[in-house]
Amino acid sequence: MIFTSDNAHIVSPEILKAIAAANEGTVSSYGADQLTQRLGEVLGGLFGREVAAFPVMTGTAANALALATVTPSYGAIFCHAEAHVQSSEFGAPEFFSGAKLVTIEGADGRMTGQGLADMLELFPANDVHYVKPATVTITQSTEMGTLYRPAEISQIKAVADTRSLAFHMDGARFANAMAALDCSAAAITCDAGVDVLSFGATKNGAMAAEVVIFFDPRHAEEFAYRRKRGGHLVSKMRFVSAQLLAYLEDDLWLRNARHANAMATRLAEGLANLSGVTLIYAVEANEIFIRLPRRIIAALEALGAQFYDWPMSGDGPEVGTVRLVTSFATQAREVEQFLKCAAHIG
Amino acid sequence: MIFTSDNAHIVSPEILKAIAAANEGTVSSYGADQLTQRLGEVLGGLFGREVAAFPVMTGTAANALALATVTPSYGAIFCHAEAHVQSSEFGAPEFFSGAKLVTIEGADGRMTGQGLADMLELFPANDVHYVKPATVTITQSTEMGTLYRPAEISQIKAVADTRSLAFHMDGARFANAMAALDCSAAAITCDAGVDVLSFGATKNGAMAAEVVIFFDPRHAEEFAYRRKRGGHLVSKMRFVSAQLLAYLEDDLWLRNARHANAMATRLAEGLANLSGVTLIYAVEANEIFIRLPRRIIAALEALGAQFYDWPMSGDGPEVGTVRLVTSFATQAREVEQFLKCAAHIG
Amino acid sequence: MIFTSDNAHIVSPEILKAIAAANEGTVSSYGADQLTQRLGEVLGGLFGREVAAFPVMTGTAANALALATVTPSYGAIFCHAEAHVQSSEFGAPEFFSGAKLVTIEGADGRMTGQGLADMLELFPANDVHYVKPATVTITQSTEMGTLYRPAEISQIKAVADTRSLAFHMDGARFANAMAALDCSAAAITCDAGVDVLSFGATKNGAMAAEVVIFFDPRHAEEFAYRRKRGGHLVSKMRFVSAQLLAYLEDDLWLRNARHANAMATRLAEGLANLSGVTLIYAVEANEIFIRLPRRIIAALEALGAQFYDWPMSGDGPEVGTVRLVTSFATQAREVEQFLKCAAHIG
Amino acid sequence: MIFTSDNAHIVSPEILKAIAAANEGTVSSYGADQLTQRLGEVLGGLFGREVAAFPVMTGTAANALALATVTPSYGAIFCHAEAHVQSSEFGAPEFFSGAKLVTIEGADGRMTGQGLADMLELFPANDVHYVKPATVTITQSTEMGTLYRPAEISQIKAVADTRSLAFHMDGARFANAMAALDCSAAAITCDAGVDVLSFGATKNGAMAAEVVIFFDPRHAEEFAYRRKRGGHLVSKMRFVSAQLLAYLEDDLWLRNARHANAMATRLAEGLANLSGVTLIYAVEANEIFIRLPRRIIAALEALGAQFYDWPMSGDGPEVGTVRLVTSFATQAREVEQFLKCAAHIG
């Protein structure tokens, strides 16, 4: 009953197999190998256009380097107040970019076009006293386990265009969004105006593999320099690209994500039936936030369930909020056991 | 006949096996797992003292983060003019530390205590116009394939102490040095005054694994923060630690390095016998620098040999310098074939 | 009727005279002159202890360098949501320190000890995912023209101590606070726990002169290096120190501030009598924030009054908020004229 | 007999008068005043084209901000090994730009086009392992008191163009160069290919005033942001602009520099006649480097002469090198007295 985080889980056997298969012969290092070249082609196919794709090994690196590439050091990056780049990356986006994060509130972990527009009004054009609006970043699926639909993204894009903002998507859980949405990968990224995507794989079955995708190749050269300068250019790159290829081939990424999402849906449905348990957000991907009596939290932990406390306003001495995350490796019996325990305690 | 770089080669089968073995069950992420804890213990055993050990995935990350941790942003880092941190890391050490690299010349890729002392004379104490002397870094084995003996390191340390410099060793090829030297790992690091070591594994058989080792635990907390902020904290850390454990266990690291060194020695001996070929540096580890007629270089390449041109003063229209690097995966027959081709052409 | 900002005004004649008097003979540059030494002594007398004092030429430099000196690059700096360092310094504090600003709400431009304590609870000790609590900074007088009393500062200090935070005070308008408070300079700084003070003079009669004062000399050396590296070490320092000495001697700083405060008080009293005009904050120093009908704002501007719009929640199509700032050079007849115009329009 | 540095001297009376004259009435702050606007026009007239001009208060700020504006953070800045940006600015250019300085040797403090070309050969295009060639900077007059002629600058420009480098000139002593050269200000800057000039005034009679001039207005907006973020946007800007206007009007800058140069010429001629004294470089501006017996150095100091030791290779136990700098305020009788002392001792 481990629901702490998707990165507590193993590597998909298919991906491990691909790593082993790549361990043959000498190849050029630093990405000048055939697997890395093929990765670019596969991603080009997925998004229906030529892309510039750069593998890295952590999600923080992907986000921070992507944002630094499209944001000048004197710029503002607009993000949701709960965004991972703001809350969980230890200032890496600021460190790599020099820019300032400006947070925007928004229900259910989502920024809206209107919310962005309202914030931009506080930034007069050509004002030298505050940072210059430069970039907007959203997370898909969000930190709250909710989703942006194409129309919502397009609305943000329309506002971003009024100030020529670059548009970044943190897709650490992009697969979970794609598995839930009924649209193409292009429809919620490049077609909706996203300029650069951090496409995650580690949380959904890879070992350590993310890929930054620029839909506009203009930034590619700069990213390459920044990746190297950040110590994020892996020498034996073939082994990162091999992970990503296996992830994409045969739709492993979608299969893994569909399973994780299904486990979350089942868990949410079961919990919703229990008295005293409140779902905080709609469960649209693989994360569940519930408020429940603290005595139940303690009892579940005593029975071996693992998850994170997620303190929120509305909690009190009697009730607290926790986050449950499911993964491709979460087993149906774990979910049922958890529900049974919760029901029993309740 | 691939002699371009040690990182063009595969992963040691033992290390691949260890990765697969680690792929079992859910564990805490970000390094709070048992393999990472065990790695610290194994390294403590190797160096005969408690150490603070931090796995990362690239050598540039290891060096840049280590240097940033021991150097204030207004400090000077003294390094050899040919050091990897100066010539091949794209300014990463400066980016992470804010400090300034100051280069020192020295024969055979080695800095001497006297060379450091001479340079330090140009930095008056408490002078606010130039950067403050803070750190000295050396590479073991050096970029030129030569070695520092314990006495040489102690001399540098003695000079470093006159200005309270921190002492860092870039051990990207530490195994190649240890395989060649007749002393303990402690004798050429902590016992000789080294404060922090970038202990490399990727060039010698790992997939993507280096470990930064602080002999003084005072810096450990800061390093942890800097690693995270640099995007270098791997979530599924167990797979990095598994590589490093397999590398250290059963002396795989030394066996691999001994083989690479032996291949280099054989290559150097064979080449030394050829007329018109000059060895530039003593071959003490796994790198060979030779000057030879350009027509032989071209002919060797035409026969499929791969290596890098290494332009040096002394080259001319007729003769050029190349670098040959051997690895744990270099095969004796590749070496013999290369020598045969060279002899035949010459 | 110029109420835009205190820095739109002239230099105090006494300060101009001191600059001219300093223009005699050759002296050591970069601060090794007698005026700069004397400045340190005068400040030591003012605060009743030995201090390390560093003149700089802008308030942003003073704040950013002071914060960078006491905050590690992986640290969090806690400030009020409306603080100048957050809203008006274009990311300079982050640029110089590398740290992340974390904003805390608080009524009337003031942070409370409780507000800081609540925020600190969101930062678990030794958590590598968010920045490390390092520094708290408050502004005296605040951006809203209000004041911190010694007891309020001591409460913040008590909370800061629970996490070993450094304590910085932005005193761009320190004189306006001191002129209004009935206590010694030490009582609201070092005696209340402040570690480092940005003591401003430019807004209150100097040409370009601020001084950073460390009550703990431990940080002095580092500040000297950071000031130079930031391009803020003035070569002909005597002319900055001369400004500061003239500012402090004969209580010019307090006389100037008392006048500015008195003008603000008179303005506020007069405005409070008008119907349709709301004072947003208590007027305790030299800044006034009022909400009034937009037609009056426009009419005042048409009559030549100058001030800044200050959009706030609560404004609407009919009413807006403006900020009025008085200075040592504001004349009583300007104030009366403004009040007469406002009354006449209203 | 003070020959330590030009910034040990006073402010030109004309400049002090201009500051006092500017102290009248309220004006817009942060550079939106009429004096600052007029400064732009005067500089436009001087260079015969529209320029974007930004006053700052230190030479280090001028250089570091100018270089940061034209150099990406992953770029290389090529400078002479003795350049002020390399030797005397405490890493400020790197701090503001993120870039790496790469030094080029060259006789008499001058870089040559050929020297730059040779260095650029070590930087292959699109190589991700070393920093990207981005900018070249030269100092006029040089740190060695020598000059670049227009043809030399054009040669550097021709090489810079082969790699699209930006071209910066550090003109901390630009006036001394202009006073010595028989050409227009445009001829040795924009007409010869310089993109951005740090035009110094502080060393030649101003109090604290330099101005960064972009000949291509494309970079102006970014510079404005960087100046603010660096804490270098002065609020009461009129007083900096007033200094610069007085400096330029009636050719004060050239008159001051001609005097300083004449004093240096007289000093050099007198010293050249003494036995045992060697001029190290041609004296073309206001700096003199001489090697002389150490007993004479000591005797001169004992008689009250002040100057800096300037250790160079070629010095020994008996002879040392010193630097003498003259200024607009150096008096002829100081020079004669120095020569008389030297002759008497010798």
Side-chain angles (χ1 to χ4, degrees):
Chain A
M1 298 190 292
I2 311 294
F3 302 105
T4 50
S5 178
D6 9 29
N7 56 36
H9 293 271
I10 59 166
V11 174
S12 275
E14 296 89 336
I15 288 175
L16 213 49
K17 205 174 298 175
I19 288 173
N23 200 33
E24 183 70 44
T26 52
V27 306
S28 291
S29 42
Y30 298 112
D33 63 89
Q34 290 187 341
L35 291 176
T36 305
Q37 189 188 322
R38 180 154 162 64
L39 173 65
E41 294 161 4
V42 168
L43 286 168
L46 178 62
F47 290 97
R49 70 190 62 195
E50 202 173 334
V51 299
F54 297 90
V56 293
M57 296 182 92
T58 73
T60 295
N63 285 337
L65 289 169
L67 289 169
T69 300
V70 299
T71 311
S73 61
Y74 47 87
I77 298 169
F78 298 95
C79 65
H80 190 272
E82 305 283 340
H84 199 264
V85 291
Q86 161 67 6
S87 69
S88 308
E89 298 189 351
F90 208 92
E94 293 98 327
F95 173 53
F96 281 90
S97 68
K100 191 166 174 118
L101 297 193
V102 177
T103 58
I104 295 174
E105 302 289 333
D108 302 326
R110 275 186 296 256
M111 177 193 301
T112 64
Q114 189 58 48
L116 177 60
D118 291 347
M119 181 57 81
L120 282 168
E121 276 193 22
L122 302 183
F123 290 76
N126 297 316
D127 182 351
V128 87
H129 292 291
Y130 206 39
V131 283
K132 185 187 183 185
T135 301
V136 59
T137 176
I138 63 173
T139 310
Q140 175 79 310
S141 60
T142 75
E143 288 292 301
M144 267 60 255
T146 56
L147 299 177
Y148 286 94
R149 268 73 193 180
E152 293 165 320
I153 296 174
S154 295
Q155 281 162 18
I156 293 169
K157 173 66 175 175
V159 175
D161 279 351
T162 64
R163 297 293 285 274
S164 304
L165 307 187
F167 197 170
H168 169 254
M169 179 181 282
D170 174 0
R173 293 189 180 94
F174 186 68
N176 300 95
M178 281 302 298
L181 289 166
D182 186 25
C183 68
S184 71
I188 55 164
T189 56
C190 43
D191 289 356
V194 170
D195 298 306
V196 52
L197 169 68
S198 299
F199 190 139
T202 310
K203 286 182 192 294
N204 189 38
M207 182 185 295
E210 316 277 313
V211 56
V212 175
I213 300 169
F214 287 92
F215 299 111
D216 177 345
R218 185 171 44 111
H219 290 300
E221 184 192 4
E222 176 168 342
F223 187 90
Y225 294 134
R226 287 186 176 275
R227 181 175 59 172
K228 171 66 184 177
R229 182 172 173 254
H232 289 291
L233 178 61
V234 181
S235 58
K236 295 182 176 174
M237 184 74 86
R238 56 171 141 172
F239 297 104
V240 187
S241 298
Q243 293 177 58
L244 291 162
L245 282 169
Y247 185 65
L248 292 167
E249 277 163 9
D250 299 326
D251 282 348
L252 173 63
W253 65 300
L254 293 173
R255 281 185 284 125
N256 276 359
R258 274 186 214 116
H259 176 82
N261 290 1
M263 291 297 101
T265 301
R266 170 66 194 123
L267 200 50
E269 286 169 356
L271 289 164
N273 288 333
L274 301 179
S275 74
V277 173
T278 316
L279 275 175
I280 307 282
Y281 305 111
V283 174
E284 302 187 316
N286 67 324
E287 294 182 284
I288 300 167
F289 294 79
I290 47 171
R291 180 169 297 127
L292 70 176
R294 290 194 187 278
R295 63 173 183 83
I296 301 188
I297 296 174
L300 283 164
E301 289 177 328
L303 290 167
Q306 292 180 25
F307 43 77
Y308 286 127
D309 285 338
W310 209 267
M312 294 188 66
S313 82
D315 293 349
E318 299 299 317
V319 292
T321 304
V322 304
R323 186 189 77 164
L324 306 173
V325 184
T326 57
S327 100
F328 82 97
T330 300
Q331 296 177 36
R333 60 174 172 75
E334 286 182 284
V335 171
E336 298 309 327
Q337 189 186 354
F338 185 90
L339 289 173
K340 192 181 297 179
C341 292
H344 183 77
I345 300 163
Chain B
M1 298 190 291
I2 310 295
F3 302 105
T4 49
S5 178
D6 9 28
N7 56 35
H9 293 270
I10 59 167
V11 174
S12 276
E14 294 89 337
I15 289 176
L16 213 49
K17 206 174 296 176
I19 289 173
N23 200 34
E24 183 71 44
T26 51
V27 305
S28 290
S29 42
Y30 298 112
D33 62 272
Q34 290 186 340
L35 290 175
T36 305
Q37 190 188 321
R38 178 154 164 64
L39 173 64
E41 294 160 5
V42 168
L43 286 168
L46 178 61
F47 289 97
R49 69 190 63 194
E50 203 173 333
V51 300
F54 297 91
V56 293
M57 296 182 92
T58 72
T60 295
N63 285 336
L65 290 168
L67 289 169
T69 300
V70 298
T71 312
S73 61
Y74 47 86
I77 298 168
F78 298 95
C79 66
H80 190 271
E82 306 283 339
H84 199 265
V85 290
Q86 160 67 6
S87 69
S88 307
E89 297 189 352
F90 208 92
E94 292 98 326
F95 173 54
F96 281 90
S97 68
K100 191 167 173 117
L101 298 194
V102 177
T103 58
I104 295 176
E105 302 288 335
D108 302 326
R110 276 187 295 256
M111 177 194 302
T112 63
Q114 189 58 48
L116 177 60
D118 291 346
M119 181 58 80
L120 282 169
E121 276 193 22
L122 302 183
F123 290 77
N126 297 316
D127 182 351
V128 88
H129 292 290
Y130 205 38
V131 282
K132 185 187 182 184
T135 301
V136 59
T137 177
I138 63 173
T139 311
Q140 174 80 310
S141 60
T142 75
E143 288 292 301
M144 268 60 255
T146 54
L147 300 177
Y148 285 94
R149 268 73 191 179
E152 292 165 320
I153 296 174
S154 295
Q155 281 161 18
I156 293 170
K157 173 66 175 175
V159 175
D161 279 351
T162 64
R163 297 293 285 273
S164 304
L165 306 187
F167 196 171
H168 169 254
M169 179 181 281
D170 174 0
R173 294 189 180 94
F174 186 68
N176 300 95
M178 281 301 297
L181 289 166
D182 186 25
C183 67
S184 71
I188 54 165
T189 56
C190 44
D191 288 356
V194 170
D195 298 306
V196 51
L197 168 68
S198 298
F199 189 139
T202 310
K203 286 183 192 293
N204 189 36
M207 183 184 294
E210 317 277 314
V211 56
V212 175
I213 300 169
F214 287 92
F215 298 111
D216 176 347
R218 183 171 46 112
H219 291 300
E221 184 192 4
E222 176 167 343
F223 188 90
Y225 294 134
R226 289 186 175 273
R227 182 175 59 170
K228 170 67 184 176
R229 182 171 173 255
H232 289 291
L233 177 60
V234 181
S235 58
K236 295 182 175 174
M237 184 74 87
R238 55 170 141 174
F239 298 105
V240 188
S241 298
Q243 294 177 57
L244 290 162
L245 281 169
Y247 184 64
L248 291 166
E249 279 164 7
D250 298 326
D251 282 348
L252 174 63
W253 65 301
L254 293 173
R255 282 185 283 125
N256 276 359
R258 274 185 213 118
H259 178 82
N261 289 2
M263 291 296 102
T265 301
R266 169 68 192 120
L267 200 48
E269 287 169 356
L271 289 165
N273 289 332
L274 300 178
S275 74
V277 172
T278 315
L279 277 177
I280 307 283
Y281 304 111
V283 175
E284 302 187 314
N286 68 323
E287 294 182 284
I288 300 167
F289 295 79
I290 46 171
R291 180 169 297 128
L292 70 177
R294 290 193 188 280
R295 63 172 182 84
I296 300 187
I297 296 174
L300 283 165
E301 288 177 329
L303 290 167
Q306 292 180 26
F307 44 79
Y308 286 126
D309 285 338
W310 209 268
M312 293 187 67
S313 83
D315 293 349
E318 299 300 318
V319 292
T321 304
V322 304
R323 186 189 76 165
L324 305 173
V325 184
T326 57
S327 101
F328 82 96
T330 300
Q331 296 176 35
R333 60 174 170 74
E334 287 182 283
V335 171
E336 299 307 329
Q337 188 186 354
F338 185 88
L339 289 173
K340 195 181 294 178
C341 291
H344 184 74
I345 298 162
Chain C
M1 299 190 293
I2 311 295
F3 302 105
T4 48
S5 178
D6 9 28
N7 56 36
H9 293 271
I10 59 167
V11 174
S12 275
E14 295 88 337
I15 288 175
L16 212 49
K17 206 173 296 175
I19 289 174
N23 200 35
E24 183 71 44
T26 50
V27 304
S28 291
S29 41
Y30 298 112
D33 62 271
Q34 290 186 340
L35 291 176
T36 305
Q37 189 188 322
R38 180 154 161 65
L39 173 64
E41 293 160 6
V42 169
L43 287 167
L46 178 62
F47 289 97
R49 71 189 63 195
E50 203 174 332
V51 300
F54 297 90
V56 294
M57 295 183 94
T58 73
T60 296
N63 285 337
L65 289 169
L67 289 169
T69 300
V70 299
T71 313
S73 61
Y74 47 86
I77 298 169
F78 298 95
C79 65
H80 189 272
E82 306 283 339
H84 200 265
V85 290
Q86 160 68 6
S87 69
S88 307
E89 297 190 350
F90 208 94
E94 292 97 327
F95 173 53
F96 281 90
S97 68
K100 191 166 174 118
L101 297 193
V102 178
T103 59
I104 296 175
E105 302 289 334
D108 301 327
R110 277 188 294 256
M111 176 195 300
T112 63
Q114 189 58 49
L116 177 60
D118 291 347
M119 181 57 81
L120 282 168
E121 277 194 20
L122 302 183
F123 290 76
N126 297 317
D127 182 351
V128 87
H129 292 291
Y130 206 39
V131 282
K132 185 188 182 185
T135 300
V136 60
T137 176
I138 63 173
T139 311
Q140 174 79 311
S141 60
T142 75
E143 287 293 300
M144 268 58 255
T146 55
L147 299 177
Y148 285 95
R149 267 73 191 180
E152 292 165 321
I153 296 174
S154 295
Q155 281 162 18
I156 293 170
K157 173 66 175 175
V159 175
D161 279 350
T162 64
R163 296 293 283 274
S164 304
L165 307 188
F167 195 170
H168 169 253
M169 179 180 283
D170 174 1
R173 294 189 180 94
F174 185 69
N176 301 96
M178 281 302 298
L181 290 165
D182 187 25
C183 68
S184 71
I188 56 165
T189 56
C190 44
D191 288 357
V194 170
D195 298 306
V196 52
L197 168 68
S198 299
F199 189 138
T202 310
K203 285 183 193 294
N204 190 36
M207 182 184 294
E210 316 277 314
V211 56
V212 175
I213 300 169
F214 288 92
F215 299 111
D216 177 347
R218 183 172 46 112
H219 290 301
E221 184 193 4
E222 176 167 343
F223 187 90
Y225 294 135
R226 289 187 175 273
R227 181 174 59 170
K228 170 68 183 177
R229 182 171 173 253
H232 288 291
L233 177 61
V234 181
S235 58
K236 294 182 175 174
M237 183 74 87
R238 56 170 141 175
F239 297 106
V240 188
S241 298
Q243 294 178 57
L244 291 162
L245 281 169
Y247 185 66
L248 292 166
E249 278 164 8
D250 298 326
D251 282 348
L252 174 63
W253 66 300
L254 293 173
R255 282 184 284 127
N256 277 358
R258 275 186 212 116
H259 177 82
N261 290 2
M263 293 296 101
T265 301
R266 169 67 193 123
L267 200 49
E269 287 169 357
L271 289 165
N273 288 332
L274 301 178
S275 74
V277 173
T278 315
L279 276 176
I280 308 283
Y281 304 111
V283 175
E284 301 186 314
N286 68 324
E287 294 183 285
I288 301 167
F289 294 78
I290 47 172
R291 181 169 296 127
L292 70 176
R294 290 194 187 278
R295 65 174 180 83
I296 300 187
I297 295 174
L300 284 165
E301 288 177 329
L303 290 167
Q306 293 180 24
F307 44 77
Y308 287 126
D309 285 340
W310 210 267
M312 294 188 65
S313 82
D315 294 348
E318 299 300 316
V319 293
T321 304
V322 304
R323 185 190 75 164
L324 306 173
V325 184
T326 57
S327 101
F328 81 97
T330 300
Q331 297 177 35
R333 60 175 171 74
E334 287 181 284
V335 171
E336 299 307 327
Q337 190 187 353
F338 185 89
L339 290 173
K340 194 182 294 179
C341 291
H344 185 76
I345 299 162
Chain D
M1 299 191 293
I2 311 294
F3 301 106
T4 49
S5 178
D6 8 29
N7 56 35
H9 293 271
I10 59 167
V11 174
S12 275
E14 296 89 336
I15 289 175
L16 212 50
K17 207 174 295 173
I19 288 174
N23 200 33
E24 183 70 46
T26 51
V27 304
S28 291
S29 41
Y30 298 112
D33 62 90
Q34 290 186 342
L35 291 176
T36 305
Q37 189 188 323
R38 179 155 163 63
L39 173 64
E41 294 160 6
V42 168
L43 287 167
L46 178 62
F47 289 98
R49 70 191 61 194
E50 205 173 333
V51 301
F54 297 91
V56 293
M57 296 182 93
T58 72
T60 295
N63 285 337
L65 289 168
L67 289 169
T69 300
V70 298
T71 312
S73 60
Y74 47 86
I77 298 169
F78 298 94
C79 66
H80 189 272
E82 306 283 339
H84 199 264
V85 290
Q86 161 67 7
S87 69
S88 308
E89 298 190 349
F90 208 93
E94 292 97 327
F95 173 53
F96 281 91
S97 68
K100 190 166 174 117
L101 297 193
V102 178
T103 58
I104 296 175
E105 302 289 334
D108 302 326
R110 275 187 296 257
M111 177 195 299
T112 63
Q114 189 57 49
L116 177 60
D118 291 348
M119 181 57 81
L120 282 168
E121 276 193 22
L122 303 183
F123 290 77
N126 298 316
D127 182 351
V128 89
H129 292 291
Y130 205 41
V131 282
K132 186 188 182 186
T135 300
V136 60
T137 177
I138 63 174
T139 310
Q140 175 77 313
S141 60
T142 74
E143 287 292 301
M144 267 60 255
T146 55
L147 300 177
Y148 285 95
R149 267 73 193 180
E152 292 165 320
I153 297 174
S154 295
Q155 281 162 16
I156 293 170
K157 173 66 175 175
V159 175
D161 279 350
T162 63
R163 297 294 285 274
S164 303
L165 306 187
F167 196 171
H168 169 255
M169 179 180 283
D170 173 0
R173 294 190 179 93
F174 186 68
N176 300 95
M178 282 301 297
L181 289 166
D182 186 26
C183 68
S184 71
I188 55 166
T189 56
C190 43
D191 289 356
V194 170
D195 297 307
V196 52
L197 169 68
S198 299
F199 189 139
T202 309
K203 285 184 192 293
N204 189 37
M207 182 184 293
E210 317 277 313
V211 55
V212 175
I213 300 169
F214 287 93
F215 299 111
D216 177 346
R218 185 171 46 110
H219 291 301
E221 185 192 3
E222 176 168 342
F223 187 90
Y225 293 134
R226 287 187 177 273
R227 181 175 58 171
K228 171 68 184 176
R229 183 172 173 255
H232 288 290
L233 178 60
V234 181
S235 58
K236 294 181 175 173
M237 184 74 87
R238 56 170 140 174
F239 298 105
V240 187
S241 299
Q243 293 178 57
L244 291 162
L245 282 169
Y247 184 65
L248 291 167
E249 278 163 9
D250 298 326
D251 282 348
L252 173 63
W253 65 302
L254 293 173
R255 281 185 284 128
N256 276 359
R258 274 186 212 117
H259 177 82
N261 290 2
M263 291 297 100
T265 302
R266 170 66 193 123
L267 200 49
E269 286 169 358
L271 289 165
N273 288 332
L274 301 177
S275 73
V277 173
T278 314
L279 276 176
I280 308 281
Y281 304 111
V283 175
E284 301 187 315
N286 67 324
E287 293 182 285
I288 300 167
F289 295 79
I290 47 172
R291 180 169 298 128
L292 69 177
R294 290 192 189 279
R295 64 175 181 82
I296 301 187
I297 296 175
L300 284 165
E301 288 177 328
L303 291 167
Q306 292 181 25
F307 44 78
Y308 286 126
D309 285 339
W310 209 267
M312 294 187 65
S313 83
D315 293 349
E318 298 301 317
V319 293
T321 303
V322 304
R323 186 189 76 165
L324 305 174
V325 184
T326 58
S327 101
F328 83 97
T330 301
Q331 296 176 34
R333 61 175 170 74
E334 287 182 284
V335 171
E336 298 309 326
Q337 190 187 352
F338 185 89
L339 289 173
K340 194 181 294 180
C341 291
H344 184 76
I345 300 162

